[in-house]
Amino acid sequence: MRIGLIAGNGTFPFLVLDAARRLGHDVTIVAVQEEASPDLNAAAAREPRADIVWLSLGQLSKCIETLRAAGATHAVMAGQVKHVKIFSSILPDRLLLSALLRLRSKNTDALISAVADVMREHGVELLDSTAFLTPLLARSGRIASRLLTGPEESDLAFGYTMADAIAGLDIGQTVVVKDAAVVAVEAMEGTDAVIARAGRLAGPGTRVVKVAKPTQDMRFDVPVVGVPTVQAMRDAGATVLSVDAGKTLVFDLQELIRAADAAGIAVVGRGRPTTA
């Protein structure tokens, strides 16, 4: 079976490519030229080779044509496309423009859901972005070595209420709290930037709560953390990272644990009941 890989930035596309190959899939990569790493060319050239085409963010028609011509009727979106680029640098083709005109709002869910609908109408179904990476989903309970303190547990309980509300409005997936106060809320700037901002505002001792949306569409915008997240927390003096178990991808788990342990940062996975 041939799988399409729509690649944004970060290590996510490389992991999906390797996993799909191990499972015996042929892969056609559509790399977003404003976001994806040039190193994808070398990764695609390794055996078994993957076809790779570089397209601009707004070329939805060409993306679908590329996948269909390759015989890929299913695709995975992997890697971030910075939300601000939706407004600052996208030049939509006619097909993408037709999807945009359907929208009542331009939040992430509405925008990518519209793109997914158009792709399905043209014969390409988006799979869950975690379809090949389920072993990387966060586990429930303690992930790094350090136990939570009582005040940290209290701040997390407070933070979950705030983060779930913000995520439910599709504003962002991360809040940073301290002493039962919201210090910073993620919008379009991304997790590392909001952690740094919280450190500037409140100093050391902040807690980072990253959640999935209450009705998280696993095809896109799945929460992701990795070593850079812990490094950003260390630099900002944050002491705790909480992620949603089963809904958050954790890249380079052992390295993340080592980095967290070295910085004295507690990392936990929140168990949540599954939604129907």
Side-chain angles (χ1 to χ4, degrees):
M1 179 177 177
R2 180 168 290 274
I3 295 293
L5 170 56
I6 302 171
N9 66 25
T11 60
F12 199 166
F14 296 90
L15 295 172
V16 172
L17 175 60
D18 289 344
R21 281 167 160 164
R22 286 197 302 271
L23 291 171
H25 296 292
D26 296 321
V27 182
T28 294
I29 304 169
V30 176
V32 178
Q33 64 188 30
E34 296 88 350
E35 292 284 2
S37 168
D39 292 340
L40 273 173
N41 288 319
R46 292 197 295 268
E47 295 295 337
R49 294 176 64 89
D51 299 328
I52 184 167
V53 176
W54 290 82
L55 298 178
S56 185
L57 188 58
Q59 294 181 278
L60 181 57
S61 292
K62 189 68 173 177
C63 172
I64 294 171
E65 289 169 8
T66 298
L67 296 175
R68 291 298 307 273
T73 57
H74 293 79
V76 174
M77 284 187 174
Q80 186 186 41
V81 172
K82 294 184 179 66
H83 297 177
V84 293
K85 291 191 176 179
I86 295 169
F87 301 98
S88 63
S89 62
I90 186 172
L91 183 62
D93 62 15
R94 288 186 179 181
L95 190 58
L96 181 55
L97 185 60
S98 72
L100 295 175
L101 291 174
R102 301 180 186 186
L103 302 179
R104 294 184 179 180
S105 65
K106 290 184 179 178
N107 59 30
T108 305
D109 272 4
L111 178 62
I112 307 183
S113 289
V115 169
D117 289 344
V118 170
M119 293 183 70
R120 183 188 303 112
E121 291 165 7
H122 288 77
V124 179
E125 185 78 25
L126 283 183
L127 301 172
D128 285 359
S129 59
T130 60
F132 301 112
L133 300 178
T134 52
L136 302 185
L137 290 170
R139 62 177 181 262
S140 182
R142 183 155 51 105
I143 295 174
S145 299
R146 186 171 72 75
L147 295 170
L148 296 172
T149 66
E152 288 171 342
E153 289 181 339
S154 297
D155 270 351
L156 289 188
F158 169 77
Y160 293 144
T161 301
M162 300 298 115
D164 288 341
I166 295 301
L169 295 171
D170 198 20
I171 294 172
Q173 296 173 317
T174 304
V175 300
V176 185
V177 301
K178 181 179 179 181
D179 298 334
V182 175
V183 178
V185 175
E186 179 189 23
M188 288 189 178
E189 72 272 41
T191 303
D192 292 353
V194 78
I195 292 170
R197 178 158 53 89
R200 292 193 298 270
L201 290 170
T206 54
R207 338 299 191 182
V208 179
V209 179
K210 189 173 184 71
V211 301
K213 296 165 189 171
T215 55
Q216 178 72 48
D217 190 328
M218 297 299 285
R219 296 176 299 173
F220 48 80
D221 209 27
V222 174
V224 174
V225 296
V227 175
T229 313
V230 173
Q231 292 171 338
M233 292 178 62
R234 179 200 61 202
D235 294 343
T239 67
V240 178
L241 171 63
S242 175
V243 298
D244 278 359
K247 297 286 186 178
T248 305
L249 286 166
V250 181
F251 294 159
D252 299 320
L253 175 61
Q254 295 308 315
E255 288 299 321
L256 180 145
I257 291 171
R258 278 192 280 271
D261 289 349
I265 293 171
V267 183
V268 297
R270 176 176 65 149
R272 298 183 65 178
T274 56
T275 55

